[in-house]
Amino acid sequence: MSFLLLPFQRITRIKMLVENILKRTKEGTKEEQTASKALASVSKIIDECNTQVGKMRQMEELIYIHQSLEFDKLRAIPIISQTRYLEKKGELQEMAKGATIFNMRMKFNPVYLFLFNDLLIITAKKGADRFVVLDHAHRSLVQVQPLDEGAGSSGPYEHCFNLTLLENHQGRTVEKLLKSPSQSDMHRWVAAFPNPTHPDGEDNEVIYEDWDCPQVQCVEQYVAQQTDELTLEPTEIVNVIRKTNEGMYQGIRLSDGQKGWFPVGNVIEITNEHVRRRNLRERYRVLQAASRVTKTNTIN
């Protein structure tokens, strides 16, 4: 498989090379025009490759999940769809039925969630690669809220949040109290379900506006472990849009606009404002040059 990826890895390096050439050419020259055309052509090929590779991986993932799920007593629903893709998955703890947040001996049972762009499936892990479906709901009929600061800040309720299925597989409204393994993981689950009543998140995380976000540079390769994470290569620049106090950042990679989470340990913050502004100017220049070439090709 690694041999099949080599040509794709090489063309991404070619794009980085052409971008560096473009940065070093004088504006308004023939060399800049040539480099801009080359960058536009390489970028188009990479975008097409990324799109097709992404679709292939999404379909493979759906097939794998479909084969892993057991609906048991529930009516089976189709998992494989051309328009569906997995956004997040992971194990959480659900408060057992009959327990309350006022019961100090409350019991939690493990559940495994699969969050798609249009569907949420709640399962119980049966084995290494088998999951029994407990419930499911359309993505638009799911709401998430963190516990109030007093109830969820410590003890057995730490890292807990409420998940409500407005209409589950039986057509009923179901409320669940779920516990994440860490505060960072809880924030990521809550962020996956934007809540209009809490648009700005919580006090223990920082959210930045596009115009005021810090920048970081990757110093150590990071390979995404989950679908909502960002794979980073050394020297790549990322605009940070969200920070948690557990060492996870959410950002947008400057080179291609990809958005995702990554650990702070793999990056360093660019504190020099001159360098930060230069990165933004160079990125803007590259985008403008590519845009001019695209417009010219469209007209022709």
Side-chain angles (χ1 to χ4, degrees):
M1 185 66 179
S2 59
F3 291 105
L4 297 176
L5 291 175
L6 282 176
F8 186 69
Q9 291 175 343
R10 285 171 182 159
I11 197 169
T12 56
R13 291 170 185 165
I14 291 174
K15 180 184 177 182
M16 294 173 62
L17 175 62
V18 176
E19 284 182 340
N20 285 326
I21 292 174
L22 180 58
K23 291 174 185 177
R24 287 163 175 77
T25 56
K26 293 183 179 180
E27 294 187 37
T29 62
K30 184 178 179 180
E31 287 78 10
E32 184 195 37
Q33 186 178 9
T34 302
S36 299
K37 289 181 179 179
L39 179 60
S41 298
V42 173
S43 298
K44 184 178 179 180
I45 294 173
I46 291 177
D47 288 342
E48 291 176 355
C49 290
N50 280 331
T51 299
Q52 295 305 318
V53 169
K55 288 181 178 179
M56 181 182 68
R57 286 177 176 171
Q58 289 170 9
M59 185 55 62
E60 289 177 348
E61 195 166 37
L62 288 177
I63 293 172
Y64 174 76
I65 294 173
H66 169 74
Q67 295 172 342
S68 303
L69 295 180
E70 296 181 11
F71 281 86
D72 198 17
K73 298 179 181 179
L74 276 66
R75 181 181 177 183
I77 57 173
I79 300 299
I80 301 172
S81 169
Q82 291 289 343
T83 58
R84 178 172 293 154
Y85 55 88
L86 184 70
E87 288 192 0
K88 186 169 177 59
K89 63 180 179 178
E91 187 171 80
L92 299 169
Q93 301 290 322
E94 179 186 1
M95 185 177 70
K97 292 182 179 179
T100 69
I101 62 173
F102 304 105
N103 182 0
M104 295 306 294
R105 295 183 179 180
M106 59 189 294
K107 181 182 178 182
F108 285 89
N109 297 320
V111 291
Y112 201 94
L113 272 58
F114 293 91
L115 177 62
F116 302 92
N117 60 312
D118 62 343
L119 179 69
L120 172 67
I121 297 181
I122 303 174
T123 71
K125 206 167 186 178
K126 186 178 180 180
D129 297 310
R130 304 299 297 174
F131 302 88
V132 178
V133 178
L134 304 176
D135 211 341
H136 57 79
H138 193 275
R139 173 75 175 267
S140 64
L141 297 176
V142 180
Q143 291 187 357
V144 168
Q145 279 190 334
L147 286 185
D148 292 337
E149 188 174 343
S153 58
S154 62
Y157 318 112
E158 191 175 16
H159 312 147
C160 287
F161 62 92
N162 290 310
L163 182 141
T164 304
L165 308 182
L166 299 179
E167 185 177 88
N168 71 346
H169 73 282
Q170 295 177 319
R172 299 176 181 176
T173 298
V174 178
E175 294 183 351
K176 298 175 180 291
L177 179 67
L178 300 179
K179 183 180 179 71
S180 300
S182 67
Q183 187 180 50
S184 175
D185 192 62
M186 182 197 72
H187 285 307
R188 289 164 66 173
W189 277 109
V190 172
F193 297 91
N195 192 331
T197 61
H198 294 273
D200 298 324
E202 295 192 351
D203 294 337
N204 46 11
E205 67 174 346
V206 182
I207 301 176
Y208 296 92
E209 298 292 342
D210 292 341
W211 54 269
D212 192 36
C213 61
Q215 277 187 346
V216 295
Q217 183 174 28
C218 178
V219 293
E220 182 180 346
Q221 183 190 47
Y222 179 71
V223 179
Q225 305 298 311
Q226 297 188 42
T227 51
D228 63 342
E229 293 184 346
L230 196 63
T231 294
L232 294 176
E233 297 292 339
T235 74
E236 287 188 321
I237 307 296
V238 182
N239 280 344
V240 178
I241 58 175
R242 187 190 298 256
K243 292 181 179 180
T244 72
N245 60 5
E246 288 197 340
M248 292 297 292
Y249 287 0
Q250 186 183 37
I252 300 174
R253 186 165 49 208
L254 284 186
S255 61
D256 58 7
Q258 284 286 100
K259 180 180 177 182
W261 293 86
F262 55 91
V264 63
N266 294 67
V267 299
I268 57 172
E269 188 160 339
I270 299 174
T271 55
N272 187 315
E273 279 300 311
H274 173 72
V275 174
R276 184 174 181 275
R277 288 192 292 267
R278 185 190 66 193
N279 290 335
L280 291 174
R281 286 196 302 269
E282 289 179 348
R283 180 59 185 160
Y284 179 74
R285 182 187 172 192
V286 169
L287 291 174
Q288 288 293 99
S291 177
R292 287 196 297 270
V293 172
T294 302
K295 289 180 180 178
T296 302
N297 292 338
T298 303
I299 294 173
N300 295 335

